[in-house]
Amino acid sequence: MSEGHDHLTALLGRLKLTALRDQLDTLIDEAGRRDLTIREALTLFCEREVARRDQRRIEMAFGLARFPFVRDLTGFDFAAQPSLDKGQTREIATGRFIANGEAVLLLGPPGVGKTHLAVALGREAIVAGYSVMFTPATTLVAQLAKAYAEGRLEERLTHYAKPKLLIVDELGYLPFEPDAAHLFFQLVSRRYERGAMLVTSNRAVGEWGTVFGDAVVATAILDRLLHHSHVVTIRGDSYRLREKRRSGLLQRATTAPQPTPV
C-alpha cells in the first residue's frame, strides 16, 4: 500500500467514515469501471457510507427493542385471516400513527397472529427511523409496581415514555394486581398525544374493566387510547390449532376413547 493510500484511510478513520475506509479500493475500482465523474463518485461513496450507518442503526435498534422473535409483514398469512384489512395494516405500517402520537389496538383471540403483527410493525417503525420498545403487559406492570414500591416510579415512567413507539403485548391474558391499573393509567397518560402505543389483547375493549379490576380506571385508560386510535380486530382461527387440525392431532385428541368411569 502506498503512503498516500495509508494517509487517506487514516483520514477516513478520523472522520469516522468507516464504510468508505473499509471499502475504499472496491469503491474506487467501481467508480473507475463506471467512468464516474468526481461528483458522481462522491455521491456513490456517500451513499455507501449512509447505507452502512443506517444498517448499523437498524441492527442496534432491533436489539434495544427487545422483540421476542423476528417477524415481518411479508411472512404474515393474510389469506388465513380474511377479517384483517390488509390496506389498514399497510397504512399502519407507514408509521404515520407514530408521528401523530396515536394508538393501535390489535384485538382477537389467542393464536391469530397479533404478536406477529406487533413485532412486524415495530420492525417497520425502526426501519423508518423511530425508536421502539416491546414489552409483555405482565412485565410492564411488574416493573411499574416494583418501581412504585421502591420509590422510583417517576424514573420507570420516564423509561417507558422515551421510545416513539411502545408495544404492550398480551394485555388481558392475566388480570392486573390491585392498584396496577392506576400505574398503567399513569403511563398511558404520560404518553397520551406525545408517544404512540401499540397494544395487543385477547379481550374486547368492553371487557377491559375486568382486566384492570377497576371499571373507572379502565374507562379513563380507554378514553385516552381510543381518542386517536386505529382498532384492528382479527376474527380468525388460531394458527396453532389450524396446524394441529391439518396434522390430525386435534381430531385424534377429540375422538380418543374416554376412560370408563369407576
Side-chain angles (χ1 to χ4, degrees), residues 209-221:
T210 303
V211 173
F212 291 110
D214 188 320
V216 175
V217 176
T219 299
I221 290 170

Side-chain angles (χ1 to χ4, degrees), residues 146-201:
K146 183 173 184 290
Y148 177 72
E150 296 173 352
R152 299 183 298 102
L153 180 60
E154 182 62 29
E155 174 189 323
R156 188 51 35 174
L157 287 174
T158 300
H159 170 74
Y160 284 119
K162 279 183 179 179
K164 289 294 185 182
L165 173 62
L166 177 66
I167 301 175
V168 181
D169 191 40
E170 297 188 340
L171 182 71
Y173 281 83
L174 292 174
F176 277 34
E177 296 291 330
D179 297 327
H182 293 275
L183 299 175
F184 188 73
F185 169 73
Q186 289 188 56
L187 175 60
V188 171
S189 297
R190 181 71 62 93
R191 296 189 61 88
Y192 178 57
E193 293 187 332
R194 291 189 293 272
M197 292 186 68
L198 190 157
V199 180
T200 75
S201 178

Side-chain angles (χ1 to χ4, degrees), residues 242-255:
R242 187 183 302 115
E243 290 303 315
K244 287 184 178 180
R245 289 191 187 98
R246 286 175 180 171
S247 65
L249 290 174
L250 190 61
Q251 184 178 6
R252 286 196 294 273
T254 56
T255 58

Side-chain angles (χ1 to χ4, degrees), residues 120-141:
L121 291 170
R123 288 171 63 87
E124 290 283 337
I126 285 174
V127 172
Y130 296 106
S131 56
V132 178
M133 183 186 297
F134 180 102
T135 176
T138 51
T139 301
L140 171 66
V141 171

